[in-house]
Amino acid sequence: VGEVVVTLNPNGATGAFDADLVMENDSSMESLRMRKVAFMARAFNFDGPVAHYTLDETEGSAISDVTGFDRHATVGDGVTLGSASLIGGDGTAATFSGWQVIADLSTAEALTDFSVSLWMNAAEGVVDLQTVFARDDSGTPAFGLLLMDGNLQWFVSDQAYFETTDAPITPGTTYHVVAVYEKSQDETLTLYLDGNEIAKQSGLNPFEDFADGPFLLGSFNSVFSFNGVLDDVQIYGKAISAEDSRFLYDNPGDVLGSPPPDGGAVAVITWEAVNTNT
């Protein structure tokens, strides 16, 4: 009979931990069997994004969700990876010209209030209706944020219910855009541009759960395609505040909440013992 006490130092991270206990046998002889017990833990930022696509990939078709929740995405033709980052640092961005990034958020809880944060730079000389992001509902856009002639439009199904004025988006210029949708507050949409509120509308047409269908970035199934560069897409399962939006603009690449230390692992502890009869 023995006892092993494992002390976990979360380095300031809070929340639940995902733990694995692994038993490995190095010998088939019971009397010589060595059992290795490895305890590992990952910390998740439960107050942060439910999905985060840094778009730092430079090749392939897989787009990683860096939250640890593994809500990964795929990319099709018409999206060029490895473009110069819009937020600086060592990362990259993605250039869109005809297709989309498709994310599966079905493992997220029902997202009725949500926020989408991203960096964008629309190509010059393009005036057609363009999809920044949308949710696919069996071939129909359940909702979407679109760009037309420098204005952002909020679509539900096939109808524009809300549009900014005075064309705040200038092609060839990088912006930080946050769209906050509050079903719980009379179907209210708030748009922030570079940390400042630029539009707000209540009483919009409702739709089902945000996560109840693929999330599309940069196109709607090859139509209404965005032309330009998108970077650092963060999706939150809540309505973030004006202060939060300002923080994300002032701190490119950072997220809200308390992310785990670099690499996600907060403890790796190994214990070995020789057991003769067990």
Side-chain angles (χ1 to χ4, degrees):
V1 177
E3 179 178 310
V4 176
V5 177
V6 178
T7 301
L8 178 65
N9 177 9
N11 293 328
T14 60
F17 294 97
D18 179 28
D20 295 311
L21 187 64
V22 180
M23 307 291 287
E24 296 180 357
N25 295 322
D26 296 329
S27 172
S28 60
M29 297 178 62
E30 186 72 25
S31 62
L32 299 178
R33 183 173 296 166
M34 171 88 67
R35 290 185 176 178
K36 180 183 295 185
V37 180
F39 178 86
M40 301 181 66
R42 286 191 300 166
F44 291 91
N45 179 6
F46 288 97
D47 292 325
V50 297
H52 182 189
Y53 307 107
T54 60
L55 299 177
D56 286 341
E57 292 79 10
T58 57
E59 60 183 3
S61 60
I63 301 296
S64 295
D65 167 24
V66 300
T67 62
F69 295 121
D70 298 333
R71 296 178 180 123
H72 304 305
T74 58
V75 63
D77 295 336
V79 180
T80 302
L81 302 176
S83 302
S85 174
L86 298 181
I87 63 175
D90 298 328
T92 61
T95 298
F96 292 76
S97 60
W99 196 237
Q100 62 214 2
V101 168
I102 306 173
D104 180 6
L105 304 181
S106 59
T107 60
E109 295 182 3
L111 303 182
T112 50
D113 289 7
F114 63 85
S115 306
V116 179
S117 165
L118 55 83
W119 293 82
M120 63 178 287
N121 188 314
E124 297 181 357
V126 179
V127 296
D128 295 334
L129 191 63
Q130 304 176 62
T131 302
V132 181
F133 66 81
R135 200 206 85 191
D136 189 358
D137 184 14
S138 301
T140 301
F143 65 82
L145 183 68
L146 288 84
L147 175 66
M148 178 68 176
D149 292 334
N151 281 302
L152 294 170
Q153 299 181 354
W154 181 251
F155 263 63
V156 178
S157 296
D158 58 354
Q159 182 176 349
Y161 280 86
F162 179 52
E163 181 176 339
T164 61
T165 58
D166 302 324
I169 304 296
T170 300
T173 301
T174 296
Y175 296 98
H176 180 244
V177 177
V178 177
V180 179
Y181 188 86
E182 298 176 88
K183 184 180 181 68
S184 62
Q185 299 296 321
D186 192 28
E187 311 286 353
T188 297
L189 176 74
T190 307
L191 294 178
Y192 297 93
L193 190 67
D194 291 348
N196 299 308
E197 181 181 314
I198 60 167
K200 189 171 187 176
Q201 180 82 15
S202 297
L204 299 174
N205 201 46
F207 52 85
E208 297 300 322
D209 173 23
F210 176 97
D212 189 23
F215 174 75
L216 309 179
L217 181 67
S219 178
F220 190 80
N221 297 331
S222 79
V223 297
F224 306 130
S225 299
F226 179 77
N227 284 266
V229 181
L230 298 176
D231 200 1
D232 197 58
V233 181
Q234 303 180 22
I235 303 170
Y236 291 84
K238 60 184 177 182
I240 67 174
S241 66
E243 292 76 15
D244 291 336
S245 175
R246 188 72 194 184
F247 172 85
L248 293 173
Y249 170 65
D250 288 338
N251 301 274
D254 283 357
V255 298
L256 303 175
S258 301
D262 291 343
V266 295
V268 179
I269 304 167
T270 301
W271 168 75
E272 296 183 3
V274 175
N275 298 276
T276 58
N277 296 312
T278 60

